């Protein structure tokens, strides 16, 4: 591997940009490229511009951004400006979406094992409620009432064989209604007063094969025809789910959004139009493909150690990016200022967590690394900061939005020791004195201007 020259990725900022930012904000932190996010969003909408509205005109497509991918109000607001809604799965996500101006049926509420208060809040906000189980229909009726518009999530089981390690095979997944259940569910919902209906399935994840993605749409189109034939119910929209993958590795295939949209259009004409069901709106809940490629985790090298292997120790850890440890996922790494150096060293790139799987890369070919180098880990714009945690007392890092002209806007400050202790009850206990000394005195980094 030594001396090889793998394909490299570029970053939208320079070493001098980050060094200037570091004068006020210490690493690690995430950076999101606003202009790239907007451009990608517009490309998605243009590709699906053929989708009809309920009156048959074009413009019926909508992406409900999966809030779980990057739950930040600045991100949600800019995506809403680009025409997107919000796909929510919890009470905080509902409240966050509503707070930034995403209202009513611009919110899709898809959850599982759902508590009563979340159904109540979703109904109060006028969100589209997407039920994950047939028994939830009676539960919803009892605690909140049946809305006029209701959606059901379908699980095709063994009828669909394109599962993957992230989402699993449908037949083994906890999500969605079976074929027999979903036919009964529409009839029961209609009996309970619902007059408008949607259909949904989320059966692929990080899928980069356009044919497989389109096959999921075909399956739902065929089901919509069957539902109409057997129940006389016509769905108003079909939610294709998310699942559009991104090329984490430089050699990965990048989804051709236009080709994917073309294939879906062909299936739509062959199945929906042919059976007289058009117009049916098409929506999806893409998150990873919308923000994932345009996020970067920036981290300083603390130590370089030579043991049985050579190790690069960063000031970031899996609390800042869990995917490599959790999924064994590949994330590309750029060393700022050394982009043109020969790739002639092999390292494990690690964090400081007390877990041996706290590694961003294993036996990765990189230029020679020295303490103090700045590393950029790519594709952290989805399921990066969002999956952060505080195990080992690790604090979550700041997030920046890189705006036009190379301006960096702080959109989440870094956590401090005070934040970490904020939910603990020291008052009236033997630890009150310790609390005053420790909890109320954040570190110098925590006191930096935010």
């Amino acid at each position: 591997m030594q001396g090889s020259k793998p394909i490299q990725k570029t970053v939208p900022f320079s070493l001098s940009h980050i060094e200037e930012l570091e004068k006020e904000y210490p690493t690690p932190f995430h950076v999101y490229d606003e202009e790239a996010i907007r451009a990608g969003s517009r490309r998605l909408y243009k590709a699906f511009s053929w989708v009809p509205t309920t009156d048959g005109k074009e413009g019926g497509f909508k992406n409900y951004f999966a809030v779980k991918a990057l739950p930040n109000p600045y991100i949600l607001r800019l995506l809403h400006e680009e025409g997107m809604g919000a796909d929510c799965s919890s009470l905080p996500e509902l409240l966050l979406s509503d707070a930034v101006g995403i209202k009513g049926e611009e919110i899709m509420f898809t959850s599982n094992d759902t508590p009563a208060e979340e159904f109540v809040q979703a109904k109060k906000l006028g969100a589209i409620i997407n039920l994950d189980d047939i028994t939830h229909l009676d539960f919803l009726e009892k605690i909140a009432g049946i809305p006029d518009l209701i959606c059901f999530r379908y699980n095709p089981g063994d009828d669909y064989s394109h599962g993957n390690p992230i989402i699993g095979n449908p037949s083994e997944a906890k999500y969605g209604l079976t074929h027999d259940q979903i036919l009964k569910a529409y009839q029961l919902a209609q009996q309970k007063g619902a007059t408008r209906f949607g259909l949904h399935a989320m059966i692929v994840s990080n899928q980069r094969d356009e044919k497989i993605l389109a096959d999921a749409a075909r399956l739902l189109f065929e089901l919509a025809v069957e539902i109409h034939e057997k129940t006389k119910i016509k769905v108003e929209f079909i939610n294709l789910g998310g699942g559009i993958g991104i090329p984490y590795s430089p050699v990965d295939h990048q989804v051709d959004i236009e080709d994917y949209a073309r294939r879906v259009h062909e299936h739509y004409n062959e199945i929906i139009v042919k059976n007289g069901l058009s117009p049916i709106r098409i929506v999806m809940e893409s998150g990873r493909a919308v923000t994932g490629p345009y996020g970067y985790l920036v981290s300083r090298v603390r130590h370089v150690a030579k043991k049985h292997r050579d190790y690069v120790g960063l000031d970031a850890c899996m609390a800042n990016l869990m995917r490599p440890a959790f999924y064994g996922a590949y994330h590309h790494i750029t060393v700022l200022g050394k982009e043109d150096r020969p790739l002639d060293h092999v390292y494990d790139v690690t964090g400081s967590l007390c877990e041996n799987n706290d590694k961003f890369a294993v036996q990765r070919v990189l230029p020679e690394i020295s303490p103090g180098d700045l590393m950029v880990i790519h594709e952290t714009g989805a399921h990066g900061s969002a999956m952060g945690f505080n195990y080992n007392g690790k604090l979550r890092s700041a997030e920046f939005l890189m705006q036009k002209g190379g301006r960096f806007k702080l959109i989440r400050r870094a956590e401090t020791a005070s934040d970490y202790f904020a939910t603990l009850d020291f008052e009236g206990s033997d630890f009150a004195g310790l609390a005053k000394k420790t909890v109320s005195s954040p570190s110098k980094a925590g006191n930096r201007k935010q």
Side-chain angles (χ1 to χ4, degrees):
M1 294 179 69
Q2 284 192 342
S4 61
K5 294 183 178 181
I7 302 170
Q8 294 298 296
K9 294 190 174 191
T10 60
V11 295
F13 44 78
S14 66
L15 176 61
S16 60
H17 281 133
I18 299 302
E19 289 178 334
E20 184 65 26
L21 194 58
E22 265 197 306
K23 292 178 180 178
E24 192 167 359
Y25 304 101
T27 54
F29 46 73
H30 289 269
V31 175
Y32 311 119
D33 185 345
E34 178 179 356
E35 287 191 276
I37 291 172
R38 289 188 185 274
S41 300
R42 291 168 187 173
R43 181 184 175 189
L44 176 65
Y45 268 73
K46 183 178 180 180
F48 282 90
S49 61
W50 58 265
V51 174
T53 61
T54 52
D55 61 4
K57 299 178 181 179
E58 290 186 348
F61 174 78
K62 194 176 194 65
N63 184 59
Y64 292 82
F65 176 71
V67 178
K68 66 182 179 182
L70 185 50
N72 189 291
Y74 286 88
I75 299 298
L76 296 184
R77 186 171 62 186
L78 79 84
L79 292 176
H80 190 225
E81 291 171 357
E82 297 298 334
M84 295 194 188
D87 170 59
C88 301
S89 58
S90 68
L91 181 60
E93 289 181 355
L94 285 169
L95 297 175
L96 178 60
S97 300
D98 181 64
V100 299
I102 303 175
K103 304 288 185 180
E105 292 182 10
E106 289 189 306
I107 300 174
M108 184 82 65
F109 181 61
T110 305
S111 64
N112 68 97
D113 196 21
T114 311
E117 61 269 21
E118 296 189 357
F119 276 137
V120 170
Q121 184 65 34
K123 177 84 169 352
K124 180 181 177 181
L125 293 176
I128 300 172
I129 296 177
N130 185 21
L131 294 181
D132 184 64
D133 189 85
I134 191 169
T135 64
H136 291 178
L137 196 57
D138 286 340
F139 183 69
L140 176 63
E141 181 181 38
K142 180 180 179 181
I143 55 95
I146 300 298
D148 182 48
L149 172 60
I150 197 79
C151 186
F152 293 102
R153 179 174 183 167
Y154 177 52
N155 183 330
D158 291 331
D159 290 338
Y160 190 82
S161 59
H162 297 301
N164 61 37
I166 294 178
I167 202 167
N169 291 317
S171 61
E172 300 171 357
K174 64 177 180 176
Y175 310 108
L177 287 73
T178 67
H179 181 269
D180 290 343
Q181 288 173 341
I182 204 161
L183 293 173
K184 294 176 183 177
Y186 283 105
Q187 293 173 310
L188 185 58
Q190 188 177 55
Q191 292 169 12
K192 291 178 180 294
T195 61
R196 301 166 58 206
F197 303 91
L199 172 63
H200 166 252
M202 174 66 183
I203 49 181
V204 293
S205 181
N206 197 29
Q207 178 56 251
R208 292 179 289 104
D209 186 312
E210 293 88 355
K211 183 181 183 302
I212 291 176
L213 286 166
D215 280 348
R218 177 186 51 78
L219 181 146
L220 286 173
F221 295 163
E222 291 173 344
L223 180 59
V225 172
E226 183 182 5
I227 290 168
H228 185 256
E229 289 176 345
K230 293 183 177 179
T231 69
K232 305 305 179 185
I233 290 173
K234 178 189 172 184
V235 297
E236 180 178 311
F237 68 84
I238 294 175
N239 183 346
L240 305 183
I244 301 173
I246 62 176
Y248 286 99
S249 168
V251 298
D252 285 345
H253 170 68
Q254 183 168 352
V255 174
D256 184 332
I257 292 296
E258 290 76 17
D259 180 52
Y260 169 40
R262 178 187 59 79
R263 291 172 183 268
V264 174
H265 196 181
E266 288 177 355
H267 291 320
Y268 185 92
N269 288 335
E270 293 166 359
I271 300 169
I272 300 298
V273 175
K274 182 179 178 180
N275 285 278
L277 292 183
S278 184
I280 293 178
R281 293 189 298 113
I282 304 299
V283 305
M284 64 175 59
E285 54 190 31
S286 183
R288 184 194 313 269
V290 174
T291 57
Y294 315 119
Y296 308 86
L297 175 59
V298 182
S299 181
R300 279 278 183 193
V301 175
R302 282 177 174 163
H303 305 285
V304 178
K306 293 182 177 294
K307 301 180 183 181
H308 298 290
R309 293 180 175 182
D310 290 355
Y311 292 93
V312 173
L314 301 183
D315 58 8
C317 68
M318 63 184 286
N320 308 111
L321 178 63
M322 190 192 295
R323 294 189 73 258
F326 197 45
Y327 297 117
Y330 178 97
H331 280 260
H332 198 68
I333 296 174
T334 293
V335 186
L336 289 182
K338 294 187 175 181
E339 292 89 343
D340 296 326
R341 300 281 184 89
L343 305 178
D344 53 6
H345 286 64
V346 179
Y347 300 98
D348 281 12
V349 181
T350 72
S352 59
L353 209 66
C354 295
E355 298 290 337
N356 195 48
N357 67 337
D358 182 20
K359 296 180 179 181
F360 297 109
V362 176
Q363 295 296 276
R364 183 71 59 86
V365 179
L366 294 166
E368 184 176 10
I369 305 299
S370 300
D373 281 347
L374 274 168
M375 283 191 166
V376 178
I377 303 175
H378 293 246
E379 279 84 32
T380 69
H383 314 293
S385 176
M387 296 178 76
F389 56 89
N390 290 123
Y391 175 65
N392 237 176
K394 297 301 181 182
L395 304 177
R396 295 177 65 177
S397 54
E399 295 175 274
F400 290 89
L401 190 62
M402 191 183 76
Q403 300 177 308
K404 191 173 182 179
R407 292 177 290 111
F408 290 81
K409 182 174 183 62
L410 183 70
I411 61 173
R412 183 194 293 271
R413 67 167 175 81
E415 284 186 335
T416 67
S418 294
D419 296 321
Y420 180 74
F421 291 119
T423 57
L424 299 176
D425 181 15
F426 288 101
E427 295 302 320
S429 73
D430 293 337
F431 299 104
L434 175 65
K436 290 180 180 179
K437 293 179 181 179
T438 305
V439 181
S440 61
S441 302
S443 65
K444 181 179 179 181
N447 276 324
R448 291 174 187 255
K449 181 181 178 183
Q450 304 286 352

